[in-house]
């Protein structure tokens, strides 16, 4: 790690950012059991901090509405090297894999999904396009109960029959199904599984050795997953995907399933800020990176104050994940912020995005000359 001064960041604001991250993991009901933050500007990592616990609770006590804490000696402290279940940050990698196919000419941005998946009759009948999947304008509902199906064949049949609930191309409707269907498109045209496409096309060239689909035994714990708050009876989860549909699909899915560290995600951010290259590796051309990260974005959310804070409104792009993960990259100032937290440990609650936005605002204030 380098210094805030070398990154052109105000060291006082950076110190405040670190204190705020630590505060998020303290108290009886912290925002997260543990967290890791990495932030920087250009090639310089100015902040790399871990706080709290990777594993704090043995289970969740429903009657007391509280986590059952492990004995002090059995807890696992958070480290800057701790992997996290990325949840929906996985979508960004699926989107990059798709845009790589656009660049190669094997995928058409405005092509109908039916051109690649004619057996998916629901999307075929309604003319859903690749662009609509990447921009969440397909009209598909947020998810399907694939976790309740008894076989892979039954899960596939649900997906093939699914029809939009609103007009494709109409308005924005965030849906896991968009990136899940895109996974099937990519696997059909490339003849390889999504995990292989992401490994060979993104993580291996960039040296992101800590990034991949699970299982990941050393990861931060997530949830004591039980009904009625969860959708499956799985107990305390660590190192296996939290998302129930990704779990039902074997852990590799276009919408969730990747594990990674904050340092690896910093490499991902720096690659995109540099126009698709990192050292000798090139995963995308600058025009295609711009296509992904400029409004309305392909896979990326653009200028969203609810989690980007003051970094929004000038072209920042990023995403969040249900387990407590997020990243923001701001081309205007060449800065990035990666925040990984296990906010669902010991159980999920309504998301509170205020800390994400506050930390992004703190980074915006730290940028000298703005």
């Amino acid at each position: 790690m380098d210094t805030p001064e070398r990154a052109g960041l105000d060291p006082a604001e950076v110190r405040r950012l670190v204190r705020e991250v630590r505060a998020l993991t303290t108290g009886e009901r912290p925002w997260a059991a543990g967290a890791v933050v990495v932030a920087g500007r250009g090639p310089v990592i100015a902040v790399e901090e871990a706080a709290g616990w990777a594993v704090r609770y043995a289970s969740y006590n429903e009657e007391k509405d509280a986590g059952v804490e492990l004995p002090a000696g059995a807890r696992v402290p958070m480290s800057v090297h701790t992997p996290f279940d990325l949840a929906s940050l996985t979508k960004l990698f699926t989107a990059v894999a798709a845009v790589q196919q656009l660049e190669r000419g094997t995928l058409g941005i405005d092509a109908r999904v039916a051109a690649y998946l004619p057996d998916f009759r629901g999307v075929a009948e309604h003319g859903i396009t690749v662009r609509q999947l990447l921009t969440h304008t397909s009209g598909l509902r947020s998810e399907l109960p694939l976790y309740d199906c008894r076989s892979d064949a039954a899960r596939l049949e649900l997906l093939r029959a699914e029809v939009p609930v609103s007009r494709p191309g109409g308005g924005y409707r965030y849906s896991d199904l968009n990136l899940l269907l895109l996974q099937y498109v990519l696997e059909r045209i490339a003849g390889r599984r999504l995990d292989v496409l992401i490994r060979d096309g993104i993580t291996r060239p960039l040296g992101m050795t800590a990034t991949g689909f699970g299982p990941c035994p050393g990861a931060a714990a997530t949830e004591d997953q039980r009904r009625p708050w969860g959708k499956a009876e799985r107990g305390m989860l660590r190192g296996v995907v939290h998302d129930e549909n990704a779990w039902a699909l074997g852990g590799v899915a276009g919408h969730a399933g990747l594990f990674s560290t904050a340092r690896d995600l910093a490499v991902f951010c720096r690659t995109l800020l540099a126009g698709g290259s990192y050292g000798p590796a090139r995963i995308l051309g600058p025009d295609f990176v711009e296509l992904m990260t400029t409004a309305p974005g392909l896979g990326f959310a653009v200028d969203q104050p609810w989690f980007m804070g003051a970094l929004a409104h000038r072209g920042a792009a990023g995403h969040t994940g249900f387990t407590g993960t997020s990243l923001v990259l701001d081309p205007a100032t060449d800065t990035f912020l990666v925040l990984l937290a296990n906010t669902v440990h010991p159980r999920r609650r309504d998301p509170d995005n205020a800390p994400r936005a506050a930390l992004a605002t703190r980074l915006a204030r730290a940028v000298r000359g703005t």
Side-chain angles (χ1 to χ4, degrees), residues 86-337:
L86 296 186
S88 284
L89 293 192
T90 302
K91 293 180 172 73
L92 299 181
F93 289 80
T94 305
V96 169
V99 175
Q100 287 176 331
Q101 298 299 323
L102 294 181
E103 187 174 25
R104 292 168 189 156
T106 55
L107 181 67
I109 185 65
D110 290 311
R112 293 193 174 194
V113 175
Y116 310 101
L117 301 175
D119 48 328
F120 283 62
R121 57 190 181 277
V123 297
E125 290 169 4
H126 291 81
I128 291 173
T129 68
V130 171
R131 186 188 298 273
Q132 288 164 358
L133 295 183
L134 282 164
T135 56
H136 294 284
T137 56
S138 67
L140 293 167
R141 56 176 153 163
S142 62
E143 67 169 7
L144 281 171
L146 303 177
Y147 44 82
D148 281 337
C149 295
R150 298 195 176 192
S151 67
D152 290 342
R155 283 184 277 273
L156 186 57
E157 178 55 28
L158 265 186
L159 285 167
R160 284 174 171 163
E162 183 68 5
V163 297
V165 295
S166 60
R167 181 177 63 84
Y172 179 87
R173 180 188 291 272
Y174 183 82
S175 173
D176 287 349
L177 301 182
N178 289 321
L179 278 295
L180 187 52
L181 286 172
L182 192 60
Q183 172 188 358
Y184 284 91
V185 170
L186 294 174
E187 292 180 340
R188 188 73 59 89
I189 63 177
R192 291 179 291 167
R193 281 172 37 123
L194 180 66
D195 53 344
V196 176
L197 291 172
I198 289 175
R199 182 195 67 201
D200 292 351
I202 305 172
T203 60
R204 180 182 285 169
L206 296 179
M208 296 172 62
T209 57
T211 304
F213 288 94
C216 183
T222 54
E223 181 178 40
D224 183 3
Q225 193 171 95
R226 291 183 270 136
R227 299 178 192 269
W229 57 85
K231 301 161 190 170
E233 299 282 343
R234 300 170 64 200
M236 184 59 74
L237 304 178
R238 185 186 185 198
V240 292
V241 63
H242 174 272
D243 182 90
E244 292 93 341
N245 274 344
W247 164 69
L249 292 166
V252 176
H255 69 288
L258 274 178
F259 289 78
S260 188
T261 62
R263 176 62 74 98
D264 260 23
L265 290 180
V267 170
F268 184 67
C269 291
R270 289 164 65 184
T271 300
L272 295 173
L273 286 170
S277 296
Y278 182 78
R282 174 190 175 280
I283 63 167
L284 278 176
D287 290 348
F288 289 90
V289 173
E290 185 177 359
L291 183 66
M292 293 191 72
T293 58
T294 302
L298 298 181
F300 281 82
V302 180
D303 283 343
Q304 298 295 314
W306 61 274
F307 78 94
M308 297 180 184
L311 287 179
H313 306 303
R314 55 187 181 189
H319 213 287
T320 65
F322 185 79
T323 51
T325 60
S326 61
L327 65 81
V328 183
L329 48 98
D330 180 23
T333 59
D334 202 21
T335 55
F336 62 90
L337 174 69

